[in-house]
Amino acid sequence: MTVTKYSANGNDFVIFIAQEHADRSELAQKLCHRQNGVGADGMVVVLPHRQYDFEWEFYNSDGSRAAMCGNASRAVAHFAHEKGICKEGQAEFLTGAGVIRATINGLYVVSDMVEPKILRDDIDEEGERWWLIDSGVPHLIAVRENIDTFDLAEARRLREKYNANVNICRFEDGTMYVRTYERGVEDETLACGTGMVACFIRLHREGKVGEQVRVYPKSGDELYVSYENGLYRFGGKVTKTFLAETLI
């Protein structure tokens, strides 16, 4: 089979086209394996759809399914654009979290995110206040003055306790910085789109940021999150790294 590898600001994905739904959990584990496979944080399967340009199946690297992934939504929109699956410069596709609309301008892709849900804003862990926000998938968010250190043991505990991704963020001089521990990968990743959006939602709801913010994940890449006309939007560059034929 032929697969395409994409990186969206350090979050990497294996993408391919199929014609039917199937349980591809085992395939995701094999393809995403860093040593014995292609290597990726996740796998995206592009499937035909009668109403939208396409729909997807999204798998984490451990084979688990996820409803949504912000960075993958931008990568797959660019993939579909190159394959002629969607209209010129626009993609509309179905995810487990709802319909995503994306705009493609060269390598720069902006996704309109699904309507978020504030699940809790009163979680106390170790004397620190956390919010739990579903921005397509659930995220725990803590706002800190310093995120140079990320306690991954604590992140794993919170991930298990709340079944959510775990984010720490800080805001300084108009810029947001985010670090994320992702379930399904079970480690810190270089970037997480829904995590960056969830952090922005908390800061925006608390009145600490305006309608748009520049954001840097651990990868150091520059992205933007905004709130426009009732929609949260997430934009940045994607990279098609290679096309490969695999025997897996």
Side-chain angles (χ1 to χ4, degrees):
M1 64 183 296
T2 300
V3 299
T4 305
K5 175 74 176 287
Y6 267 83
S7 175
N9 311 104
N11 227 181
D12 55 349
F13 308 99
V14 177
I15 306 175
F16 64 90
I17 298 170
Q19 298 304 313
E20 296 179 347
H21 289 280
D23 181 356
R24 297 181 171 90
S25 297
E26 185 176 347
L27 177 62
Q29 293 178 61
K30 290 179 178 178
L31 284 178
C32 293
H33 197 282
R34 296 287 179 185
Q35 286 73 43
N36 300 322
V38 175
D41 292 325
M43 182 183 83
V44 184
V45 186
V46 175
L47 296 157
H49 195 275
R50 292 182 179 179
Q51 182 177 355
Y52 303 107
D53 294 325
F54 63 93
E55 67 177 304
W56 82 3
E57 292 175 354
F58 182 85
Y59 294 84
N60 293 307
S61 61
D62 67 354
S64 62
R65 294 287 297 268
M68 178 54 184
C69 175
N71 283 321
S73 75
R74 295 187 301 108
V76 76
H78 189 275
F79 172 87
H81 170 74
E82 283 214 331
K83 295 291 185 182
I85 296 171
C86 60
K87 304 177 187 71
E88 184 70 23
Q90 300 287 330
E92 187 178 42
F93 55 98
L94 183 64
T95 73
V99 177
I100 296 296
R101 294 171 180 86
T103 303
I104 306 103
N105 184 6
L107 293 175
Y108 196 89
V109 183
V110 178
S111 288
D112 292 350
M113 306 298 283
V114 296
E115 181 68 24
K117 301 179 182 69
I118 311 297
L119 303 178
R120 289 186 64 180
D121 62 3
D122 60 349
I123 295 172
D124 183 275
E125 290 286 349
E126 303 295 332
E128 187 172 33
R129 186 184 178 198
W130 297 76
W131 283 38
L132 181 60
I133 299 175
D134 188 332
S135 54
V137 290
H139 286 272
L140 280 167
I141 302 104
V143 181
R144 298 177 178 174
E145 292 184 0
N146 188 316
I147 62 169
D148 290 344
T149 300
F150 193 10
D151 187 339
L152 296 185
E154 178 192 40
R156 290 187 189 99
R157 180 182 68 81
L158 294 174
R159 175 263 183 271
E160 293 292 337
K161 183 174 180 179
Y162 296 96
N163 190 27
N165 300 284
V166 181
N167 306 263
I168 56 174
C169 68
R170 71 180 179 91
F171 180 72
E172 181 181 0
D173 297 329
T175 302
M176 186 172 69
Y177 303 87
V178 179
R179 297 180 69 173
T180 304
Y181 180 97
E182 287 198 60
R183 64 179 189 175
V185 179
E186 305 308 333
D187 204 348
E188 182 179 10
T189 54
L190 293 178
C192 175
T194 52
M196 287 182 269
V197 172
C199 290
F200 173 78
I201 291 168
R202 172 174 175 172
L203 290 170
H204 186 253
R205 295 288 178 94
E206 291 181 321
K208 295 176 180 177
V209 299
E211 301 299 293
Q212 178 174 291
V213 67
R214 178 174 54 194
V215 55
Y216 290 98
K218 187 180 179 182
S219 68
D221 293 323
E222 182 178 279
L223 299 103
Y224 286 86
V225 184
S226 64
Y227 183 70
E228 307 170 43
N229 302 317
L231 289 172
Y232 288 97
R233 292 191 165 108
F234 173 57
K237 289 184 178 180
V238 300
T239 303
K240 183 172 74 171
T241 54
F242 61 80
L243 189 69
E245 184 176 323
T246 174
L247 301 178
I248 292 176

